[in-house]
Amino acid sequence: MDFSVIENVGKTQHPKTYDGHIQYGTAGFRTRATILDHVLYRMGVLAVLRSKAKNAVIGLMITASHNPECDNGVKLVDPAGEMLEASWEKIATELANVNDSDISSTVQRIISEQNISINTPASVIIGRDTRTSSAALANSSIAGITAANGTFKNFGVITTPQLHYLVVCTNTNGSYGDATLEGYYRKLSNAFKSIRGGSPSSDKYVPSVKLDAANGVGAIAAREFKKQLEGFLNIEIYNVANENLNHECGADYVKVQQVPPATVPVEINCRCVSIDGDADRVVYYYVDEKAKFHLLDGDRIATLVAGYFKELLNKSGLNLKLGLVQTAYANGGSTHYIENVLKIPVACVPTGVKHLHHKALEFDIGIYFEANGHGTVVFKDSAIEAIRETSASSDSSTAQKDAASKLASAIEVINQTVGDALSDMLLVETILHANGWDVLAWESSYNDLPNKQVKVKVEDRNVISTTDAERKCVKPVGLQEEIDKIVSRYPKGRSFIRASGTEDVVRVYAECENSTDVEKIAQDVASAVRRLAGGVSLS
Ligand code: 16G
Ligand code: MG
């Protein structure tokens, strides 16, 4: 590794032209695309260092997910498909922000502090979304990888979950699946078709969905699934353009605005699905005969999956520990249903996929979903083995075998490496088909508490500090007492605040039994934030 080459290429071809500070947050670097060139170059270099440190292939994804087209971003993916380890987020931030003339010394310091053996080979898998800026940024990362003497495989335009899948398959020598896009489509589609078998248990289930692909990369993947699943599931795809990415469409828009995209021709009580710009989030929704909009978000998907798995585990006789992981944003109605009706343990962790994923790994079968639609299911190897054994064992009854083989196929439909909008959609469709449910039957399992989110702009959002999985505010002092006082006035009142990791705002969440009160709780808590945390205006 020639440090002067790394610095010179950076200085001359990918100079830092932006003076502000850029931070590696919950989802990597994410900001305006025009200021990211030097960051991508340096992340190419860092991916090589990370690959050497782990002696494994590292992923590099260029996307800004549900942000507007003018933004972009990059995140590194660790060998087991996880988000970059937290201690390296700091390293990434430092390397992205140093002056051009400090690149060489910074890289050398990282190598020595992290005990990296520079002779270890390094390899990076690159993917990018459909943004106009993504191709050039991919080239900048390739320049960084090459300057640091690493090798790379560029998969071009792919979804974020496909990148995670490719990293895991490569690092497990194909035991998780073939490290190709064909392997990805084949694995998920074959499992979907095999579990689906005969007709649904009731004619309420109609094998057709309207899918809003957010004008993003998910449209490409959805088209491929549509082809492979012909005769099993009819996927009508909308918002497939290369422009207007996430504009008035996509999972985030639908979740936040609580309306269907105008471009999706909704029909009464028909299942509609929206995914986000890099296809790692999914929400369902429908419109009833009174034109009322109903959202079935990540909480609903989690409870649907949990109920299905619990039933199959019972039928199979397998004694595996099933658990569900949520964040404070999970609707209280869903948590109550999981704990008291499904009787499945629930854990609550801070916002951000990495927290949910890690917690879920503690269970034999760990289901995790954020309310915003990001989630998946992870299985311990020992659980997969036990399920496969039961499905094949002559000691099992036919009913036990049948339940275990359904579980085994469900494992294959799921992209365990990260939340995957399309894989999650196939899982939901599998379960609705198995239960013979339409969207109304799915929604009727429990009632959501009315809820509201608002943002508060403050001078410095870092003055907010929370504990107990973000459910309690410890700083500024006195704010939690104010929140407690406000919510205590309302039945089933709950509210919490946290600093956003992706926007310069403080987020306020409120829920309670009566929809007429929820706005008041949110506004009162927002006022308390403004008063005690230096608020500037409410947007
Ligand atoms: C990021 C996170 C997502 C989280 C969101 C919260 C990943 C891959 N993504 O998009 O899980 O829900 O941030 O945003 O971890 P906020 O901090 O702005 O509320
Ligand atoms: Mg996303």
Side-chain angles (χ1 to χ4, degrees):
M1 194 181 275
D2 187 334
F3 302 113
S4 62
V5 168
I6 295 176
E7 183 163 305
N8 280 335
V9 175
K11 211 182 268 178
T12 54
Q13 288 164 44
H14 303 279
K16 180 167 172 275
T17 51
Y18 176 71
D19 283 339
H21 185 79
I22 309 185
Q23 195 174 335
Y24 196 104
T26 30
F29 292 104
R30 199 180 286 184
T31 184
R32 291 192 306 286
T34 46
I35 57 175
L36 276 169
D37 175 63
H38 74 284
V39 176
L40 265 292
Y41 172 76
R42 294 169 187 203
M43 285 309 104
V45 174
L46 192 74
V48 169
L49 299 184
R50 183 71 183 156
S51 175
K52 288 178 189 291
K54 300 301 282 184
N55 195 13
V57 170
I58 294 295
L60 185 152
M61 182 71 198
I62 298 158
T63 180
S65 185
H66 54 277
N67 284 36
E69 157 78 28
C70 58
D71 285 354
N72 215 326
V74 56
K75 57 187 164 193
L76 298 187
V77 174
D78 263 352
E82 284 142 312
M83 303 293 158
L84 180 67
E85 189 183 301
S87 62
W88 275 65
E89 291 180 3
K90 284 197 200 85
I91 299 173
T93 301
E94 190 187 353
L95 184 60
N97 286 287
V98 293
N99 289 329
D100 289 332
S101 53
D102 293 328
I103 294 178
S104 165
S105 60
T106 307
V107 168
Q108 289 180 67
R109 190 160 41 73
I110 297 168
I111 289 172
S112 101
E113 282 173 6
Q114 298 298 319
N115 262 324
I116 294 169
S117 132
I118 52 170
N119 294 323
T120 308
S123 184
V124 183
I125 290 180
I126 306 169
R128 65 173 198 270
D129 70 13
T130 52
R131 286 177 161 79
T132 322
S133 56
S134 291
L137 292 174
N139 286 337
S140 313
S141 74
I142 289 171
I145 296 167
T146 311
N149 273 342
T151 58
F152 66 90
K153 204 160 182 188
N154 184 0
F155 279 87
V157 177
I158 54 175
T159 69
T160 293
Q162 285 175 336
L163 179 95
H164 286 252
Y165 167 91
L166 293 165
V167 169
V168 172
C169 291
T170 307
N171 282 321
T172 54
N173 297 318
S175 72
Y176 185 70
D178 282 351
T180 59
L181 289 180
E182 295 73 41
Y184 167 87
Y185 291 118
R186 203 181 324 117
K187 180 176 157 114
L188 272 60
S189 304
N190 286 350
F192 181 80
K193 290 194 243 179
S194 91
I195 196 172
R196 209 158 172 93
S199 36
S201 55
S202 122
D203 59 7
K204 273 191 187 170
Y205 178 82
V206 178
S208 183
V209 289
K210 295 183 195 294
L211 172 75
D212 150 32
N215 291 319
V217 56
I220 299 168
R223 271 198 214 111
E224 190 56 40
F225 278 121
K226 182 183 169 74
K227 217 167 41 188
Q228 302 219 4
L229 300 178
E230 212 188 316
F232 287 82
L233 179 67
N234 175 31
I235 311 175
E236 283 175 34
I237 314 173
Y238 300 92
N239 298 326
V240 298
N242 270 337
E243 59 229 26
N244 292 329
L245 175 71
N246 299 319
H247 181 66
E248 295 182 356
C249 60
D252 198 59
Y253 172 80
V254 171
K255 166 92 183 148
V256 174
Q257 304 298 327
Q258 305 261 324
V259 289
T263 39
V264 175
V266 291
E267 286 166 44
I268 293 169
N269 298 345
C270 279
R271 292 192 307 287
C272 300
V273 182
S274 279
I275 63 177
D276 72 338
D278 63 338
D280 64 356
R281 277 195 203 181
V282 61
V283 293
Y284 271 73
Y285 48 95
Y286 73 96
V287 172
D288 66 19
E289 49 282 302
K290 292 185 185 134
K292 184 169 179 252
F293 172 82
H294 298 249
L295 181 72
L296 293 107
D297 61 5
D299 296 343
R300 293 277 177 187
I301 298 174
T303 51
L304 180 75
V305 175
Y308 181 67
F309 276 42
K310 169 125 192 196
E311 194 188 323
L312 289 181
L313 280 175
N314 285 348
K315 284 189 181 158
S316 69
L318 280 155
N319 184 19
L320 295 173
K321 200 166 153 223
L322 176 66
L324 206 145
V325 186
Q326 300 186 313
T327 71
Y329 287 109
N331 193 282
S334 74
T335 315
H336 182 268
Y337 173 72
I338 299 157
E339 282 177 334
N340 298 293
V341 180
L342 296 178
K343 299 202 188 306
I344 295 170
V346 186
C348 184
V349 299
T351 303
V353 171
K354 63 181 175 218
H355 301 296
L356 289 113
H357 194 94
H358 279 133
K359 189 72 190 173
L361 292 172
E362 290 177 13
F363 298 99
D364 292 329
I365 302 178
I367 301 166
Y368 73 84
F369 267 90
E370 291 188 305
N372 63 25
H374 191 129
T376 189
V377 188
V378 289
F379 301 83
K380 281 207 174 121
D381 286 346
S382 53
I384 297 179
E385 238 168 75
I387 290 168
R388 289 192 181 141
E389 257 169 40
T390 303
S391 73
S393 163
S394 51
D395 296 339
S396 321
S397 69
T398 314
Q400 285 175 326
K401 273 193 197 169
D402 182 53
S405 46
K406 281 193 175 132
L407 277 171
S409 295
I411 294 170
E412 297 295 305
V413 173
I414 293 164
N415 184 349
Q416 289 188 61
T417 68
V418 79
D420 181 331
L422 293 165
S423 150
D424 289 340
M425 178 184 86
L426 297 184
L427 182 62
V428 168
E429 292 301 318
T430 298
I431 300 171
L432 294 180
H433 174 271
N435 293 357
W437 281 1
D438 60 9
V439 75
L440 305 168
W442 175 14
E443 195 189 27
S444 68
S445 48
Y446 69 87
N447 290 325
D448 269 329
L449 290 172
N451 61 90
K452 174 89 193 164
Q453 281 192 54
V454 293
K455 305 180 199 179
V456 182
K457 190 115 184 84
V458 296
E459 263 156 41
D460 175 11
R461 73 190 199 274
N462 294 318
V463 299
I464 304 284
S465 154
T466 62
T467 182
D468 189 20
E470 301 176 324
R471 289 173 293 189
K472 289 251 164 322
C473 170
V474 284
K475 269 190 200 150
V477 174
L479 187 45
Q480 185 59 46
E481 285 72 20
E482 294 268 336
I483 296 172
D484 291 343
K485 233 189 283 167
I486 295 165
V487 296
S488 69
R489 293 186 213 125
Y490 303 94
K492 299 200 178 152
R494 181 171 76 91
S495 177
F496 69 93
I497 62 157
R498 54 177 280 279
S500 159
T502 64
E503 264 186 89
D504 192 12
V505 294
V506 174
R507 296 201 195 282
V508 174
Y509 176 89
E511 70 179 27
C512 66
E513 194 161 38
N514 300 317
S515 54
T516 42
D517 297 331
V518 73
E519 179 74 31
K520 177 97 175 87
I521 301 186
Q523 293 307 341
D524 285 355
V525 172
S527 305
V529 172
R530 274 195 294 278
R531 220 172 337 108
L532 292 166
V536 283
S537 73
L538 182 72
S539 56

